[in-house]
Structure formats: C-alpha cells, structure tokens
Amino acid sequence: MKTTPVLNFNGCCAQAIKFYEKAFNTKPDFVMHYSDADPSDWSQPLTDAQKNYVYHAEMNIAGQRFMMSDNITFDIVYGNNFFVVITVDTKEEVQKMYDAMKEGSTLLVPLHSTTYSSGTFNLIDKFGVRWAVMTEQTQR
C-alpha cells in the first residue's frame, strides 16, 4: 500500500511542473497531455487549449512520488487546509528552496529558525499549493 499526493490545476500544470523542477531540483518522470490520451477517458469534448493540458504527470519530490494534472471536469478551488512538508538537511537548502518558490507566492510563515528547526517557511505557491520546507535540527 502506498500514499501518493495528487496536485490538480486549472490549466497551469505544465508551468507548475517547471516551477517545481527549479524549486526542488528534479525532473518529471512522466508527462502525458490530453491530446496523447484515449478520448474515451472523459465525457466532454475538449477545447483546443484543453488538448494541451497535462492529463497525467509524475514527479519525485524529496523522495516522494507526486502525481499532477489539469482537471477538466470541475473547477479546482485552492485553499490552505492541506499542505506538503519537505524536510531537508541544512538551512542553506531551505534558503535555496525559499528563494526559488517565493516569487508570486503568498507567504504564510516567513523563513526563520525555531526551537526545532534551523530553517523553515510556509507558503502557498503561485499555483495555489501550500508547502512547508524545514530542517529537523537546529545546528545546520
């Protein structure tokens, strides 16, 4: 049994993938667009724009498999009730991810140290996904 987070977007999944490539120094393992899939997978005709949307993508972020897609069935409502925590070794790694992710984001908890972490922050990125990045120690 496995748990896999799935991130859904309203037509901007390809841009989100590029953003996460830079932020987390990774590449997608798989990307399929709606135009490459069997049309019987969905019930409505696609617009020209939707044909270029991401139907299914997979990316490894910090050792965790994530799935991503553009949803064409219903509108995605972004919120802050769920978030993903990425744990790294050093505050320098936290700083690098912060620098890569802060542009266009809503900062919820600014980059700082705590009694349990040498560096942490929490934000909602420009694609509406809430992330926290932290160390699990106070020395590095």
Side-chain angles (χ1 to χ4, degrees), residues 19 40 42 48 50 52 61 63 86 89 92 99 102 105 114-115 119 139:
F19 181 76
S40 67
W42 51 89
D48 287 340
Q50 288 172 327
N52 293 316
I61 299 174
I86 304 294
D89 249 2
E92 288 78 21
D99 291 341
K102 68 183 178 183
S105 296
T114 69
T115 56
Q139 304 305 311

Side-chain angles (χ1 to χ4, degrees), residues 53-64:
Y53 284 3
V54 174
Y55 181 54
H56 180 80
E58 296 184 14
M59 178 179 272
N60 185 303
I61 299 174
Q64 173 65 51

Side-chain angles (χ1 to χ4, degrees), residues 25-36:
N25 192 29
T26 190
K27 296 283 183 196
D29 298 315
F30 179 82
V31 177
M32 176 186 283
H33 295 88
Y34 278 88
S35 60
D36 300 321

Side-chain angles (χ1 to χ4, degrees), residues 61-125:
I61 299 174
Q64 173 65 51
R65 175 185 180 203
F66 281 76
M67 294 180 185
M68 302 175 196
S69 68
D70 286 310
N71 190 323
I72 63 167
T73 307
F74 54 88
D75 286 335
I76 302 300
V77 178
Y78 298 127
N80 64 5
N81 60 329
F82 171 83
F83 66 102
V84 179
V85 177
I86 304 294
T87 304
V88 297
D89 249 2
T90 68
K91 62 184 173 187
E92 288 78 21
E93 291 171 281
V94 175
Q95 180 72 54
K96 186 176 178 181
M97 289 181 188
Y98 176 78
D99 291 341
M101 296 181 79
K102 68 183 178 183
E103 185 178 334
S105 296
T106 301
L107 190 59
L108 301 174
V109 178
L111 178 61
H112 69 291
S113 62
T114 69
T115 56
Y116 61 86
S117 176
S118 64
T120 185
F121 68 89
N122 194 303
L123 56 76
I124 299 172
D125 71 24

